[in-house]
Amino acid sequence: ISFNSVDSSLSSLKNCQSYINTGMDIATHVALDLVESFNDVEDVNSMESAMLEYAAMDRELNHYMRAVEETVNQIKREKPENIPDLKYLVKEKFTALESKNSDSDLQRNEKYMYFKDQLKEMRKQFCRQSDNDNEAIEQIDEDLAVTQSQMNFICPITQMEMKRPVRNKVCGHTYEEDAILKIIQTRKQQKKKVRCPKIGCSHADVKGSDLMPDEALKRAIDSQKKQ
């Protein structure tokens, strides 16, 4: 049995997934723009709703692609004499996957988590909090010490103001992107782990996969420069 047409369809679906990812990136940047320009919380919340809709589409697409791939692998493994009803088998697997859906799936979407994280950081950096946004207020109170640290725009490696800050998801410290990646690469060649260069931090295994762009901090730095 040839699965060329199926492979072609899967490739098209993966392209659709890239469009969803782009949409989520745009929604994140719009939300940060809104916070930076002191727009209404309601406007920011509409961006969060859009992010959840994108996350739901991404989950559905993932389930469908997984259903197709599992069906194809099953047929290749079993090698039936008669061609089975691919459409029915895929629908059956897809329905089973969708039946396990929960809201927590969407909350765990990587881009949605990044959106929430950056929104929280943005509110801290620009000191914006709303009476209607109790969650943000609680997070600001809890992370007061981190806020004071984040307001320091100097990279612990270069000792210069950061241009492209990245934050370590594990310990929360920020570094200049090129500087920390260079250290990681050098230590990797030496087959050694990288200790967080922030003085006093006990995190002893900084990995490239743990670093994420800190757009909120970058905007705060740029804002200070304009002022």
Side-chain angles (χ1 to χ4, degrees), residues 50-153:
M51 288 293 290
L52 288 170
E53 288 178 22
Y54 276 125
M57 285 190 282
D58 186 61
R59 177 181 62 189
E60 185 176 355
L61 200 55
N62 277 326
H63 282 169
Y64 190 76
M65 289 191 293
R66 181 177 163 187
V68 171
E69 288 168 351
E70 286 183 0
T71 300
V72 168
N73 289 335
Q74 179 184 338
I75 293 171
K76 285 180 177 178
R77 190 170 56 249
E78 295 176 356
K79 299 177 181 178
E81 292 182 11
N82 299 317
I83 299 175
D85 188 338
L86 281 175
K87 188 175 180 181
Y88 173 78
L89 291 175
V90 168
K91 185 178 179 180
E92 193 175 46
K93 289 183 183 296
F94 174 71
T95 303
L97 290 168
E98 285 284 291
S99 68
K100 297 175 182 177
N101 286 350
S102 69
D103 290 342
S104 61
D105 297 337
L106 306 182
Q107 307 287 337
R108 289 194 298 267
N109 178 281
E110 188 175 345
K111 284 192 176 290
Y112 176 75
M113 289 171 65
Y114 178 75
F115 169 87
K116 291 290 285 183
D117 176 86
Q118 286 294 287
L119 207 55
K120 182 184 77 173
E121 293 300 319
M122 197 73 179
R123 282 169 172 148
K124 288 195 297 187
Q125 297 292 0
F126 286 85
C127 301
R128 294 295 296 173
Q129 56 187 54
S130 165
D131 292 334
N132 297 324
D133 198 348
N134 294 325
E135 181 188 355
I137 293 169
E138 288 171 7
Q139 288 172 333
I140 289 168
D141 290 339
E142 290 170 5
D143 293 329
L144 186 59
V146 179
T147 303
Q148 293 167 347
S149 173
Q150 289 281 13
M151 289 306 290
N152 180 3
F153 301 152

